[in-house]
Amino acid sequence: MTVSIATPSAQPLHAEPRPTTFPLDQWYVAALGWELKDKPIGRTLLNKSVVLFRTADGQVAALENRCCHRALPLSDGTLEPRGIRCGYHGLLFDGQGKCIEIPGQDKIPSKALVPAWHVRERDRIVWMWFGSEAHPEPTHEPPTYEFHSNGEYVYDGDVYHYDAPWQLIHDNLMDLSHLGYVHLRTIGGNASIHMNAQMKVEQEGDTVRVIRHMPGSEPPPTYVAAYPFKGKADRWQQIEFMVNHLRIWTGAVDAGTDSLDDPSRGGFHMRGFHGITPETETTCHYFWSIATNPQQDHEAVKAKVVEQTAMTFEEDKVVIESQYRNLCQFGERSMIDIHVDAGANRARRVIQRLCQAPG
Ligand code: FES
Ligand SMILES: [Fe+2]
């Protein structure tokens, strides 16, 4: 039966979404594993409306968020041991999107199907493959993230929604010189130390790394709260950009003790996971976790580091959304580059190249 319904956009109900400007042959973060409990989550990712849920065997499913009967979002439904039940007329779908029950009707039409995406959960991060026309099937496995599973670190995290395009978050994370201005209450410290950090930018394929060393720094409030520094500290920031996420390793040792080039250096460590996934061209989701290595009082130190990190990211959100509002207000105007932009600009070039040459 054909159902004709006027929609606000006057688009046909089955219209293809607009073409996107995102690299498609990538795994993107769709959720943090601990978000998926007893309720489905509706989320738009790369302009696609998706419902995510965990099936009874613990697997994660990602289906189009539209019931194939009368189009209610499946995220308005409920989870059952065999799948997700639509909240309108009760059709039940399994994790592959196949309708397995129609209340009051024995025969299930073969077309009673909801499209499903490839989804994988690794180290408590849920990844989804969108795929180009050339590669609808995944060409590789999603990344592992050892700091969620190696037992040396304690961690927690959250997801923030941003009214700003994803690349503004990349810019922010690739250039941590802003710490001395934006994050004075938490991980900041002296602005001139951040602006004058010894900085190295490296690139290997589509991975861009920014390494910054700040010897002889005053440890900032978050560090002092989490670790017994004796006085000044030698700080480092190591930022690794990949198209679908960033890994940021920051920390400090007591000044003049371990070398900042020693990969097994001691001191206070924070390992940040930052999964930035476009929602639309102008909005995005920011999935983050922070892992740390307390010497003692594990739970109390973790709680402190997570709380301070959340405060830090809220500070970033205020700045980035304000920046984006102004970019919209002033329109296409040229901007100048300064020395701290080298890493962010390289990351932008990686995305630009992947968008031009998909597949
Ligand atoms: S709209 Fe889903 S069962 Fe009718
Ligand atoms: Fe920041």
Side-chain angles (χ1 to χ4, degrees), residues 172 178 183 316:
N172 170 276
H178 71 265
H183 303 308
D316 283 315

Side-chain angles (χ1 to χ4, degrees), residues 79-93:
L79 297 186
E80 295 188 2
R82 291 194 298 148
I84 186 164
R85 192 175 291 279
C86 180
Y88 205 169
H89 314 94
L91 268 63
L92 181 65
F93 299 91

Side-chain angles (χ1 to χ4, degrees), residues 147-170:
F147 307 105
H148 281 180
S149 56
N150 72 5
E152 280 176 37
Y153 285 80
V154 285
Y155 66 92
D156 205 350
D158 204 351
V159 50
Y160 290 175
H161 180 268
Y162 259 79
D163 283 323
W166 69 319
Q167 287 187 284
L168 291 187
I169 290 90
H170 296 159

Side-chain angles (χ1 to χ4, degrees), residues 18-22 44-47 161-169 276-285 317 320-325 327-328:
R18 288 171 295 153
T20 65
T21 47
F22 316 119
T44 297
L45 303 155
L46 279 75
N47 287 321
H161 180 268
Y162 259 79
D163 283 323
W166 69 319
Q167 287 187 284
L168 291 187
I169 290 90
I276 321 291
T277 303
E279 178 184 53
T280 66
E281 281 77 0
T282 57
T283 56
C284 66
H285 302 285
K317 186 165 151 63
I320 292 169
E321 291 184 336
S322 173
Q323 175 197 17
Y324 184 55
R325 282 194 297 277
L327 284 167
C328 293

Side-chain angles (χ1 to χ4, degrees), residues 172-173 176 178-179 182-183 187 312-313 315-316:
N172 170 276
L173 295 172
L176 295 186
H178 71 265
L179 265 63
V182 179
H183 303 308
I187 55 171
T312 306
F313 293 168
E315 290 166 342
D316 283 315

Side-chain angles (χ1 to χ4, degrees), residues 29-295:
V29 183
L32 296 168
W34 53 93
E35 287 186 273
L36 295 168
K37 296 181 187 135
D38 53 354
K39 288 196 174 57
I41 295 180
R43 193 162 269 165
T44 297
L45 303 155
L46 279 75
N47 287 321
K48 315 268 190 206
S49 179
V50 179
V51 59
L52 296 149
F53 59 96
R54 201 178 282 285
T55 55
D57 59 0
Q59 301 296 308
V60 178
L63 307 181
E64 185 176 80
N65 195 9
R66 174 188 178 278
C67 177
C68 59
H69 175 226
R70 288 293 182 271
L72 190 75
L74 287 173
S75 55
D76 292 351
T78 48
L79 297 186
E80 295 188 2
R82 291 194 298 148
I84 186 164
R85 192 175 291 279
C86 180
Y88 205 169
H89 314 94
L91 268 63
L92 181 65
F93 299 91
D94 68 12
Q96 277 75 51
K98 189 172 175 321
C99 179
I100 52 174
E101 189 192 317
I102 299 178
Q105 176 175 321
D106 292 337
K107 190 165 166 15
I108 298 178
S110 57
K111 284 191 179 155
L113 274 177
V114 171
W117 278 276
H118 290 282
V119 65
R120 304 256 200 290
E121 184 172 22
R122 289 190 102 172
D123 299 321
R124 305 192 75 201
I125 298 166
V126 177
W127 300 89
M128 253 177 79
W129 178 266
F130 289 87
S132 62
E133 273 179 32
H135 299 291
E137 298 296 315
T139 55
H140 54 276
E141 285 300 303
T144 55
Y145 190 64
E146 64 176 292
F147 307 105
H148 281 180
S149 56
N150 72 5
E152 280 176 37
Y153 285 80
V154 285
Y155 66 92
D156 205 350
D158 204 351
V159 50
Y160 290 175
H161 180 268
Y162 259 79
D163 283 323
W166 69 319
Q167 287 187 284
L168 291 187
I169 290 90
H170 296 159
D171 291 349
N172 170 276
L173 295 172
M174 290 299 276
D175 162 25
L176 295 186
S177 69
H178 71 265
L179 265 63
Y181 295 100
V182 179
H183 303 308
L184 284 176
R185 292 183 307 151
T186 51
I187 55 171
N190 184 308
S192 89
I193 286 212
H194 287 284
M195 294 306 285
N196 291 299
Q198 302 157 14
M199 183 168 98
K200 209 160 57 175
V201 179
E202 298 170 350
Q203 186 165 356
E204 228 181 290
D206 295 339
T207 301
V208 181
R209 264 181 224 105
V210 179
I211 298 154
R212 292 158 51 86
H213 288 173
M214 293 163 289
S217 303
E218 203 60 58
T222 301
Y223 285 36
V224 173
Y227 189 88
F229 287 101
K230 296 192 179 75
K232 295 236 166 143
D234 294 341
R235 292 183 69 175
W236 74 85
Q237 296 165 333
Q238 191 166 317
I239 307 138
E240 195 168 47
F241 163 90
M242 284 145 284
V243 173
N244 49 7
H245 74 294
L246 292 91
R247 296 167 186 225
I248 303 186
W249 180 26
T250 54
V253 292
D254 279 313
T257 57
D258 293 1
S259 160
L260 295 188
D261 294 315
D262 176 359
S264 59
R265 58 193 176 268
F268 170 64
H269 294 230
M270 290 170 76
R271 299 267 189 180
F273 174 89
H274 309 257
I276 321 291
T277 303
E279 178 184 53
T280 66
E281 281 77 0
T282 57
T283 56
C284 66
H285 302 285
Y286 182 0
F287 302 91
W288 62 268
S289 79
I290 194 80
T292 190
N293 60 336
Q295 313 296 301

